[in-house]
């Protein structure tokens, strides 16, 4: 062991200045990134486990956790752009495979997007809208496939895919009736606030279900809850069709994996720095 | 290369320290979560406190011979208010039980007054108080879940060490007496 460490020390001393800087920089970046991801997993796991579930009927204002079922917006489901599946929410990405002179491949995103409509959920007591902008969305329905033709019947407007290149298509969806777990900032809109909320959304969809939703909501004259990203960026905004238990496991696993990974660049950094200086 | 051991030891020490900070921050969040959950109940108790005199005034016009029943409602209202002001959760639970019992009595007695049942403002107040009672019941559940999360966390290892070091304590659950836990179903009381 001692011999190996001495060899590493010798090697660190023999590095020229530019290699030394590069290795130090790369190891520092990886150390910090892995450590940040470890802390993120740890924090999220604790926040999810430590936040009680609010019922929508009497939902407390502020950072809250809700559980319910997704429903098509005022009975109007969306059609996802890549697979044309009926859903309540979607996100898609199309990437093109590029090769450099050495034959190394990389993926460049040529088109991506999310459904602009809020997601409607209900529990046993009431309904709420989830405004997914800025949220981490975890879905059970996630499809990914590859295609060389670039000639699919895709409903996303004019996109130059370029024939002959390999493309990767990814689509995530939330379907009607799926259980939804969400953690974010909950606020209740009165009638005036509701108009302010729906007006900018209606610009994208002037005669669609959003108008109908706004009218129906006004007719019901009951408050509308909206769950959205919290102003405090440290508080995660999570929307998931996986249950609370699965999410806790997921973030605990993230913390464990990055805790282990953290040690590799950290020790490499320590070896190079102290070998050089020692 | 004698320095590698101390470096690893130092790194582990820093990580343990940081983990301690994460635990401390989580305990602070839990404590504030309980306060927030209580504030959410408190606001509804205040709203109901303001609505009850209107109800009593409306009822008084039709039930002038039921002074004792009305007095019980007012007494229970004051009892809840006092407990609420002192933030005495156990006492709020007991007083809330009396409040619900006295309201049920009031509405049971009101059955004998058809003119009162037909009164518009009485119907509105009945609906409003019923809604508030449901919301209080929901938020009581939420508050108790917050308390449970806090109380369990401060007894779990390694959180217990940080909790003891910084005096993080348990909170009382908000419990209503078993017979008094039922929602006040005014619709049924009036057979509507």
């Amino acid at each position: 062991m001692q011999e190996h460490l001495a060899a590493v020390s010798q090697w660190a001393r023999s590095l020229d200045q530019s290699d030394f800087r590069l290795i130090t920089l790369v190891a520092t970046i990886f150390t910090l990134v892995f450590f940040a991801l470890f802390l993120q997993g740890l924090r999220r796991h604790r926040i999810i486990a430590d936040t009680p579930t609010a019922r929508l009927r009497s939902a407390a204002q502020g950072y809250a956790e809700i559980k319910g079922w997704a429903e098509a917006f005022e009975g109007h489901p969306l059609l996802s752009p890549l697979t044309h599946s009926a859903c309540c929410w979607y996100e898609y990405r199309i990437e093109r495979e590029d090769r450099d002179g050495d034959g190394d491949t990389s993926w460049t995103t040529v088109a991506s997007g999310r459904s602009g409509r809020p997601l409607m959920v209900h529990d046993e007591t009431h309904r709420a809208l989830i405004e997914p902008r800025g949220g981490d969305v975890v879905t059970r329905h996630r499809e990914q496939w590859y295609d060389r033709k670039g000639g699919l019947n895709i409903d996303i407007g004019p996109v130059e895919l370029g024939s002959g290149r390999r493309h990767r298509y990814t689509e995530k969806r939330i379907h009607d009736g799926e259980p939804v777990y969400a953690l974010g900032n909950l606020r209740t809109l009165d009638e005036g606030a509701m108009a302010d909320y729906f007006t900018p959304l209606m610009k994208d969809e002037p005669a669609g279900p959003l108008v109908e939703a706004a009218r129906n909501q006004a007719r019901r004259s009951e408050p509308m809850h909206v769950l959205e990203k919290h102003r405090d960026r440290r508080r995660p905004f999570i929307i998931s069709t996986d249950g609370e238990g699965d999410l806790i496991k997921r973030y605990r696993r993230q913390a464990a994996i990055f805790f282990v990974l953290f040690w590799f660049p950290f020790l490499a950094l320590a070896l190079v720095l102290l070998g050089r200086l020692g | 290369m004698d320095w590698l051991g101390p470096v690893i030891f130092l790194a582990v020490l820093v990580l343990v320290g940081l983990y301690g900070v994460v635990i401390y921050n989580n305990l602070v969040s839990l404590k504030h979560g309980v306060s927030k959950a209580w504030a959410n109940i408190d606001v509804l108790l205040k709203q109901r406190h303001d609505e009850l005199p209107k109800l009593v005034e409306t009822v008084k016009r039709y039930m002038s011979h039921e002074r004792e029943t009305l007095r019980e409602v007012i007494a229970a209202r004051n009892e809840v208010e006092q407990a609420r002001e002192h933030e005495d959760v156990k006492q709020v639970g007991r007083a809330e039980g009396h409040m619900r019992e006295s309201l049920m009595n009031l509405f049971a007695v009101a059955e004998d007054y058809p003119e009162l049942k037909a009164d518009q403002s009485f119907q509105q107040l009945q609906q409003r108080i019923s809604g508030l009672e449901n919301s209080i019941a929901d938020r009581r559940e939420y508050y108790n879940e917050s308390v449970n999360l806090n109380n369990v966390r401060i007894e779990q290892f390694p959180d217990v060490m940080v909790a003891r070091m910084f005096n993080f304590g348990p909170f009382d659950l908000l419990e209503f007496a078993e017979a008094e836990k039922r929602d006040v179903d005014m619709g049924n009381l009036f057979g509507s």
Side-chain angles (χ1 to χ4, degrees):
Chain A
M1 180 69 178
Q2 205 68 356
E3 285 169 19
H4 289 303
L5 291 174
V8 171
S9 185
Q10 182 64 38
W11 170 76
R13 268 196 289 271
S14 70
L15 286 172
D16 65 38
Q17 195 62 17
S18 60
D19 285 346
F20 171 72
R21 279 190 190 149
L22 183 70
I23 290 171
T24 309
L25 182 72
V26 171
T28 305
I29 289 170
F30 275 99
T31 302
L32 293 176
V33 168
F34 289 163
F35 190 68
L37 288 169
F38 155 66
L39 280 184
Q40 186 199 55
L42 196 66
R43 266 180 58 78
R44 288 190 168 198
H45 143 244
R46 294 297 291 260
I47 287 175
I48 293 169
D50 291 347
T51 308
T53 309
R55 285 197 188 194
L56 288 175
R57 177 174 60 185
S58 57
Q61 305 293 287
Y63 197 63
E65 170 185 288
I66 60 171
K67 288 174 189 165
W69 293 270
E71 66 176 77
F73 203 81
E74 293 296 323
H76 295 275
L78 291 163
L79 274 186
S80 65
L82 302 188
T83 63
H84 302 281
S85 308
C87 62
C88 301
W89 181 88
Y90 62 75
E91 183 182 76
Y92 70 89
R93 194 169 62 243
I94 303 173
E95 294 155 292
R96 187 185 58 224
E97 187 181 42
D98 291 327
R99 280 180 194 276
D100 63 14
D102 300 332
D104 294 330
T105 59
S106 63
W107 292 96
T108 309
T109 301
V110 290
S112 65
R114 273 180 168 195
S115 97
R117 238 190 253 175
L119 174 70
M120 189 163 261
V121 293
H122 67 270
D123 68 3
E124 301 87 348
T125 60
H126 207 76
R127 299 160 95 198
L129 290 173
I130 300 177
E131 173 52 74
R133 257 178 299 178
D136 291 340
V137 187
V138 180
T139 61
R140 279 184 199 170
H141 295 282
R142 181 180 183 277
E143 288 175 46
Q144 190 170 70
W145 71 97
Y146 297 84
D147 174 47
R148 197 172 281 280
K149 289 177 290 189
L152 289 175
N153 178 23
I154 298 167
D155 183 21
I156 52 169
V159 176
E160 186 51 58
L161 294 174
S163 60
R165 297 266 188 93
R166 198 166 171 242
H167 290 87
R168 181 163 68 190
Y169 302 83
T170 311
E171 187 175 88
K172 287 159 80 175
R173 297 184 305 274
I174 295 177
H175 287 196
D176 192 9
E178 269 196 282
V180 174
Y181 167 94
L183 184 68
N185 186 54
L186 191 89
R187 64 190 174 106
T188 303
L189 307 176
D190 57 19
E191 280 180 35
M194 218 138 50
D196 291 344
Y197 176 76
F198 278 106
T199 306
L201 294 173
M202 281 189 245
K203 279 180 190 157
D204 299 335
E205 213 174 332
L210 280 169
V211 180
E212 207 177 313
R215 281 200 199 112
N216 288 345
Q217 193 56 41
R219 228 175 281 139
R220 278 185 211 118
S221 71
E222 62 184 21
M224 171 62 91
H225 303 303
V226 177
L227 191 86
E228 59 196 0
K229 191 173 172 59
H230 198 276
R231 273 189 213 154
D232 182 351
R233 295 179 72 185
R234 288 169 302 172
R235 296 193 169 200
F237 178 32
I238 299 168
I239 303 150
S240 168
T241 52
D242 281 343
E244 184 178 4
D246 292 333
L247 283 175
I248 290 173
K249 273 186 213 156
R250 179 194 180 101
Y251 289 117
R252 197 189 286 154
R253 196 166 50 233
Q254 177 185 326
I257 288 169
F258 285 104
F259 180 72
V260 172
L261 287 178
F262 154 80
W263 288 99
F264 293 99
F266 172 77
L267 287 176
L269 186 66
L271 284 169
V272 171
L273 278 180
L274 295 170
R276 183 90 166 190
L277 304 171
Chain B
M1 284 286 196
D2 295 336
W3 39 260
L4 194 60
V7 166
I8 294 175
F9 176 73
L10 202 68
V12 170
L13 212 64
V14 169
L15 281 176
V16 169
L18 281 170
Y19 190 52
V21 171
V22 170
I23 289 175
Y24 177 85
N25 287 341
N26 280 324
L27 291 174
V28 170
S29 291
L30 283 169
K31 193 173 124 183
H32 285 287
V34 174
S35 305
K36 194 186 101 180
W38 177 254
N40 277 307
I41 293 180
D42 196 52
V43 73
L44 294 181
L45 293 177
K46 267 188 210 159
Q47 284 175 14
R48 194 189 54 191
H49 181 81
D50 295 340
E51 296 292 342
L52 281 172
K54 295 179 205 164
L55 178 76
V56 170
E57 280 307 310
T58 309
V59 169
K60 221 190 257 178
R61 292 207 300 269
Y62 300 91
M63 292 169 48
S64 51
H65 303 298
E66 304 287 352
R67 289 187 183 281
E68 189 51 37
T69 313
L70 294 175
R71 207 173 290 136
E72 273 174 27
V73 173
I74 295 295
R77 172 181 174 265
N78 293 339
E79 197 185 345
V80 173
E81 181 62 6
Q82 272 181 6
R84 193 186 68 74
E85 276 175 0
H86 290 104
E87 294 187 14
D88 183 341
V89 177
K90 281 187 176 162
Q91 187 55 32
V92 168
R94 276 192 291 269
E96 189 59 26
H98 297 155
M99 179 81 251
R100 285 167 177 243
E101 202 176 10
S102 64
L103 272 176
M104 283 176 79
N105 281 342
L106 173 69
F107 289 116
V109 172
E111 272 288 82
D112 298 333
Y113 296 84
E115 284 179 350
L116 173 63
K117 276 167 64 182
D119 186 294
Q120 278 270 303
S121 63
F122 176 74
Q123 283 173 5
Q124 278 170 3
L125 283 164
Q126 169 194 332
Q127 212 173 3
R128 168 90 176 124
I129 290 174
S130 188
L132 284 170
E133 294 292 334
N134 287 336
S135 297
I136 290 169
D138 287 349
R139 289 190 183 180
R140 185 181 74 95
E141 254 178 55
Y142 184 85
Y143 170 81
N144 283 346
E145 204 184 331
S146 305
V147 169
N148 268 328
L149 286 167
N150 177 78
N151 293 359
V152 169
R153 187 68 77 195
I154 61 169
E155 287 183 11
Q156 276 179 335
F157 183 83
D159 302 51
V160 65
M161 295 194 300
V162 179
R164 285 194 183 158
M165 205 181 295
F166 295 97
N167 292 323
F168 284 96
F171 290 90
D172 289 326
L173 291 167
L174 178 58
E175 288 173 313
F176 302 158
E178 198 57 45
E180 293 148 353
K181 270 185 192 168
R182 297 187 304 266
D183 284 349
V184 181
D185 188 349
M186 291 156 193
N188 270 350
L189 278 169
F190 287 94
S192 58

